């Protein structure tokens, strides 16, 4: 099996930089210039990310400014996430990689087994099952963690890891978010609702359906401990390099251009 580059960033970045780096890596992997890559990172400042097809009107720009939170649109799909007290992973694989073969749901299932292995390393038992499509339609809303999708990770029936995937130009990019601590319903403070009663209802629903790692474990793990576990969970299937990798000079140039022209550009972020 081919080796996978490991990029672990303990110095957290703004939302536009994070999405630009993931897209630059995906471009390099898809073109065959770089090997499959697992990237682990965080966010600073907090950032509301919208799914690629999500409407910009769902974000509350005034609340974002008031709280000092960024706004970014992900290249992957899904619903809104407020990134902050978490670890995010991105996995870029050539489409002929064993983990990426078949359709998106099949690859979700394979990758979920690696995530479950990572949680086992932390001492946590979790599950991943096919989603109930009818339940998803009935409870559609703006918050990612309020509803599990196919083979997302659950603890006691509550969503712990949210994931989204993009396939294009020979590469698969999967994003995943692991909330370590904090309030999973704080995302509701960054979104627009028709009334405060509707906001409160969504906040309650999100807390009922999502969980942080700290709550699930009954202790507060450090970011590096979670990163270690994730690398351990992925290690065998991906043959992770022993030494940390880094962005190439070409990827850095591409990422800077993507921040300028795309992910840091309000016109692109607000295009939907």
């Amino acid at each position: 099996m081919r080796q996978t580059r490991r990029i672990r960033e303990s110095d957290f970045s703004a939302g536009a930089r994070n999405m630009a780096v993931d897209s630059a890596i995906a471009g390099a992997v898809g073109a065959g210039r770089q090997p499959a890559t697992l990237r682990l990172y965080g966010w600073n400042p907090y950032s509301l990310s919208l799914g690629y097809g999500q409407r910009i009107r769902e974000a509350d720009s005034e609340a974002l400014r008031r709280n000092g939170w960024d706004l970014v649109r992900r290249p992957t799909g899904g619903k809104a996430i407020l990134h902050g007290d978490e670890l995010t992973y991105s996995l870029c694989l050539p489409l002929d990689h064993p983990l990426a073969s078949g359709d998106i749901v099949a690859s979700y299932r394979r990758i979920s087994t690696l995530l479950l292995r990572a949680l086992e390393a932390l001492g946590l038992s979790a599950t991943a099952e096919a989603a109930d499509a009818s339940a998803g339609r009935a409870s559609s809303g703006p918050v990612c963690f309020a509803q599990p999708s196919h083979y997302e990770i659950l603890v006691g029936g509550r969503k712990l890891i949210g994931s989204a995937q993009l396939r294009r130009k020979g590469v698969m990019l999967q994003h995943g978010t692991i909330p370590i601590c904090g309030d999973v319903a704080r995302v509701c403070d960054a979104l627009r609702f028709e009334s405060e009663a509707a906001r409160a209802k969504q906040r309650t629903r999100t807390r009922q359906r999502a969980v942080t790692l700290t709550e699930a474990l009954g202790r507060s793990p450090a970011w590096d401990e979670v990163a270690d576990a994730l690398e351990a969970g992925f290690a065998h299937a991906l043959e992770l390099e022993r030494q940390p990798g880094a962005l190439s000079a070409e990827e850095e140039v591409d990422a800077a251009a993507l921040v300028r022209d795309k992910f840091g550009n309000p016109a692109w972020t607000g295009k939907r």
Side-chain angles (χ1 to χ4, degrees), residues 24-271:
I25 292 171
V29 172
R33 298 191 301 270
Q34 292 292 339
T37 301
L38 174 67
R39 177 178 174 238
L40 309 179
Y41 58 94
W43 304 66
N44 185 25
Y46 280 54
S47 181
L48 178 72
S49 77
L50 300 176
Y52 182 77
Q54 197 168 8
R55 298 298 183 185
I56 189 67
R57 64 173 177 264
E58 295 187 24
D60 188 333
S61 57
E62 181 179 344
L64 291 171
R65 284 194 297 270
R66 184 170 63 248
N67 287 290
W69 296 339
D70 276 355
L71 174 65
V72 69
R73 185 178 294 280
R74 299 190 303 272
T76 48
K79 297 293 188 176
I81 301 174
L82 182 65
H83 303 275
D85 301 319
E86 67 175 63
L87 181 148
T88 300
Y89 77 84
S90 66
L91 180 63
C92 291
L93 302 174
L95 289 181
D96 63 356
H97 191 283
L99 285 178
S101 64
D103 62 15
I104 289 177
V105 173
S107 63
Y108 274 155
R109 179 178 55 79
R110 295 188 195 97
I111 295 169
S112 73
T113 64
L114 308 183
L115 295 169
L116 292 173
R117 186 178 300 163
L119 294 175
E120 287 174 3
L122 290 169
L124 185 61
S125 177
T127 61
E129 300 175 356
D132 183 339
S134 62
R137 289 192 296 270
S139 58
S140 178
V143 177
C144 172
F145 274 81
Q147 180 64 39
S149 185
H150 286 298
Y151 297 104
E152 290 188 313
I153 307 301
L154 307 179
V155 175
R158 297 164 71 191
K159 184 170 175 176
L160 175 62
I161 303 179
S163 301
Q165 192 179 117
L166 166 70
R167 294 178 174 220
R168 67 181 180 192
K169 297 182 179 179
V171 68
M172 181 207 86
L173 165 61
Q174 178 160 318
H175 278 138
T177 296
I178 307 174
I180 297 175
C181 59
D183 182 2
V184 292
R186 184 163 41 186
V187 61
C188 298
D189 296 334
L191 298 171
R192 294 185 186 277
F193 292 90
E194 61 184 16
S195 67
E196 286 306 310
R199 186 191 307 276
K201 183 177 180 180
Q202 180 68 77
R203 187 180 285 117
T204 297
R205 178 168 166 247
T206 301
R207 288 174 181 151
Q208 291 172 339
R209 298 192 174 192
V211 65
T212 66
L213 196 51
T214 292
E215 185 179 356
L217 285 171
R219 64 182 181 85
S220 183
W223 190 92
D224 282 330
E225 181 187 359
V226 182
D228 287 343
L230 202 62
E231 289 174 351
F234 278 73
H236 177 70
L238 293 176
E239 290 195 356
L240 291 178
E241 294 181 353
R242 292 179 179 271
Q243 298 300 320
L247 293 181
S248 68
E250 184 177 23
E251 286 169 320
E252 286 285 7
V253 170
D254 289 346
L258 285 163
V259 169
R260 182 188 66 239
D261 300 333
K262 193 172 183 179
F263 298 106
N265 182 347
W268 188 86
T269 302
K271 67 179 182 176

